[in-house]
Amino acid sequence: MEGVQEEHHPGRHTGGGRRALTTLRRRCRCHRHHRPQGGALPLPPFRPAPGMPCAPRGFTGAGGVARAEPIASAGLTRRPRLLAPPRGAFEKVLRLGSMAAKKLRRARLSQELCERLSRHQITTCQDFLCLSLLELMKVTGQSYYDVQKLLCRVSRACAPKMQTAYEMKLRKSVNPSSAFLSTTLHSLDKVLHGGVPCGSLTEVTSPPGCGKTQFCIMVSVLATLPVSMGGLDGAVIYVDTESAFSAERLIEIAGNRLPTYFDSDEKLFCMTRSIHLYRELTCGSVLKRIMSLEEEIISKKVKLIIIDSVASVVRKEFDAKLQGNLAERSNFLARGASVLKYLAEEFSIPVILTNQITTSLSNGPAIQADLVSPADDLSLSEGASGSGKRESGCVTAALGNTWSHSVNTRLILQYHDLPTRQLLVAKSPVAPFSAFFYTIEKSGLVLQD
């Protein structure tokens, strides 16, 4: 710390222990209360004055400091307290956001150290960075200098990486097949420059019965295909909040859409084993599942995440009319979207989420709608009221502006003329607004010429 200087008295040895204790107390006070701009800084390394012992009495281990023990000097016995995490540490973690949830195993720490930390419930970068230096020395059993190096390594592991636009373009051009997941709807893939984009969030929203779940089941099959066939050659995590997933429908779509590839029960069996289904029926369980996905992505080689649907649990648990519920709902959605964005970018995989729609009336509460606009909002007439005046409103995707800004691509499905429906590309960083007509067949969604 700046402003904290160690005493330096050449030739004096007898008072070294007392001076070392005084210096340690100063550092502890400064570590607790001093708050420089940009977050708390680590304590400076201890440099003993000439004639002093290599380390203050009571601290033993490699580098002079390894673990805290009672300090005895000049008849004074004291056990140093473990310090609370410095305030700057919490601010740093908040700034890092969801990246701080990265598992320590992915910060290139040794397996032995990760296991030792996990016994103290320290499993993420956030858990590690929120501890003080003395606490880290205690749980790791390492010296002050080694703990500082560990802090630097963990901080770099969860800090956002800078990259240039050229590097992004080069990475996609080297392996273009890994940048998108083909939907096999060729006109849609052409507009989206290849299909559902990897590394971002794609939302599919529609009224009931338009085929959101059918679309999700279809792309689940496609993600398991080899890269040479436009797939991602990986597993799928499917979070079902409406109990709408059907294994029979999954097999039917696979057999009818790709009959030459799924020509045996063995291939169908292998495909179904690659799709991992979780039924989560509350907001808490959905968020808990999202927070635990990182390890599953690594262990199961997951290449696609689907949540069907986000709106189902949110709208059941949060009544926007009640005071305080709106802020709590926005906080839940922001946390979930932040972690999902991190997972999509970190592992370069597509994340598909389904949403519902709602109609907001100017003279009444929001109600469910059976139509949807080609954009986020659409002014429309809802019919004459009792006073003879026409009530106006807008049809929009549910969950509000916070969620709307979180998704990168939005596909809207809506009714047209039965049995034909319409698919709209309403929001995309690479595609213009586009519309396609489709039907739902045994093989899934099929575009009409």
Side-chain angles (χ1 to χ4, degrees), residues 281-288 310 313-315 317-318 332:
L281 304 179
T282 65
C283 288
S285 62
V286 169
L287 186 59
K288 185 177 180 180
V310 177
V313 289
V314 172
R315 299 178 87 179
E317 293 192 29
F318 296 104
F332 166 79

Side-chain angles (χ1 to χ4, degrees), residues 107-121:
R108 298 184 179 179
L109 301 186
S110 67
Q111 180 73 17
E112 181 183 357
L113 180 58
C114 289
E115 291 175 357
R116 179 168 185 162
L117 291 169
S118 66
R119 289 196 290 270
H120 296 274
Q121 288 76 50

Side-chain angles (χ1 to χ4, degrees), residues 345-425:
E345 294 172 3
E346 181 72 10
F347 297 99
S348 189
I349 60 175
V351 175
I352 298 177
L353 313 149
T354 66
N355 193 4
Q356 299 172 356
I357 61 168
T358 186
T359 301
S360 297
L361 300 179
S362 59
N363 296 327
I367 61 172
Q368 293 293 329
D370 291 329
L371 299 172
V372 71
S373 71
D376 285 351
D377 296 308
L378 174 66
S379 296
L380 52 88
S381 296
E382 293 292 340
S385 63
S387 60
K389 296 182 180 179
R390 298 182 69 84
E391 296 178 345
S392 63
C394 63
V395 177
T396 182
L399 304 182
N401 288 332
T402 299
W403 179 256
S404 180
H405 291 298
S406 297
V407 298
N408 306 100
T409 303
R410 172 171 282 167
L411 305 179
I412 297 177
L413 312 180
Q414 65 180 13
Y415 289 107
H416 186 61
D417 294 326
L418 291 177
T420 304
R421 297 170 175 84
Q422 191 175 37
L423 187 155
L424 307 172
V425 180

Side-chain angles (χ1 to χ4, degrees), residues 120-428:
H120 296 274
Q121 288 76 50
I122 303 170
T123 58
T124 67
C125 293
Q126 177 174 341
D127 298 335
F128 191 89
L129 294 174
C130 281
L131 295 177
S132 68
L133 287 164
L134 291 182
E135 287 172 324
L136 289 174
M137 288 161 59
K138 182 179 179 65
V139 297
T140 62
Q142 297 192 19
S143 69
Y144 175 81
Y145 176 73
D146 290 336
V147 166
Q148 279 190 315
K149 290 198 297 184
L150 287 175
L151 280 171
C152 290
R153 185 181 302 174
V154 173
S155 297
R156 290 193 188 101
C158 65
K161 305 293 191 300
M162 187 279 295
Q163 59 180 338
T164 64
Y166 174 75
E167 291 171 336
M168 294 176 64
K169 177 66 176 176
L170 183 63
R171 188 173 63 253
K172 290 184 178 180
S173 62
V174 169
N175 191 10
S177 60
S178 65
F180 298 93
L181 169 60
S182 172
T183 65
T184 65
L185 304 173
H186 300 298
S187 298
L188 177 62
D189 287 347
K190 184 177 179 180
V191 167
L192 294 175
H193 294 199
V196 178
C198 297
S200 63
L201 308 187
T202 297
E203 180 194 78
V204 181
T205 185
S206 80
C210 279
K212 296 188 297 291
T213 300
Q214 303 293 319
F215 180 84
C216 291
I217 293 175
M218 184 180 76
V219 295
S220 296
V221 173
L222 300 174
T224 65
L225 296 176
V227 175
S228 60
M229 296 183 63
L232 298 176
D233 195 18
V236 178
I237 288 182
Y238 196 115
V239 180
D240 182 14
T241 67
E242 297 181 327
S243 299
F245 182 88
S246 169
E248 291 78 11
R249 180 62 173 147
L250 175 76
I251 295 172
E252 182 183 37
I253 288 177
N256 286 277
R257 197 167 196 90
L258 299 158
T260 56
Y261 181 76
F262 294 108
D263 56 356
S264 66
D265 291 341
E266 183 181 353
K267 286 188 176 180
L268 285 170
F269 178 70
C270 184
M271 180 271 296
T272 56
R273 288 191 62 184
S274 298
I275 298 175
H276 307 277
L277 179 69
Y278 297 100
R279 283 203 165 92
E280 309 292 355
L281 304 179
T282 65
C283 288
S285 62
V286 169
L287 186 59
K288 185 177 180 180
R289 177 62 58 190
I290 291 173
M291 299 297 288
S292 68
L293 286 179
E294 184 173 14
E295 284 190 348
E296 291 195 64
I297 291 172
I298 298 170
S299 62
K300 297 175 181 175
K301 297 181 180 179
V302 172
K303 295 296 183 179
L304 172 65
I305 296 173
I306 295 175
I307 300 182
D308 180 26
S309 80
V310 177
S312 176
V313 289
V314 172
R315 299 178 87 179
K316 282 189 294 187
E317 293 192 29
F318 296 104
D319 185 352
K321 299 175 187 177
L322 298 180
Q323 187 176 8
N325 265 13
L326 189 59
E328 190 175 350
R329 186 183 79 164
S330 296
N331 181 56
F332 166 79
L333 291 171
R335 287 182 63 192
S338 177
V339 175
L340 289 171
K341 274 180 174 287
Y342 158 70
L343 294 174
E345 294 172 3
E346 181 72 10
F347 297 99
S348 189
I349 60 175
V351 175
I352 298 177
L353 313 149
T354 66
N355 193 4
Q356 299 172 356
I357 61 168
T358 186
T359 301
S360 297
L361 300 179
S362 59
N363 296 327
I367 61 172
Q368 293 293 329
D370 291 329
L371 299 172
V372 71
S373 71
D376 285 351
D377 296 308
L378 174 66
S379 296
L380 52 88
S381 296
E382 293 292 340
S385 63
S387 60
K389 296 182 180 179
R390 298 182 69 84
E391 296 178 345
S392 63
C394 63
V395 177
T396 182
L399 304 182
N401 288 332
T402 299
W403 179 256
S404 180
H405 291 298
S406 297
V407 298
N408 306 100
T409 303
R410 172 171 282 167
L411 305 179
I412 297 177
L413 312 180
Q414 65 180 13
Y415 289 107
H416 186 61
D417 294 326
L418 291 177
T420 304
R421 297 170 175 84
Q422 191 175 37
L423 187 155
L424 307 172
V425 180
K427 177 183 178 182
S428 170

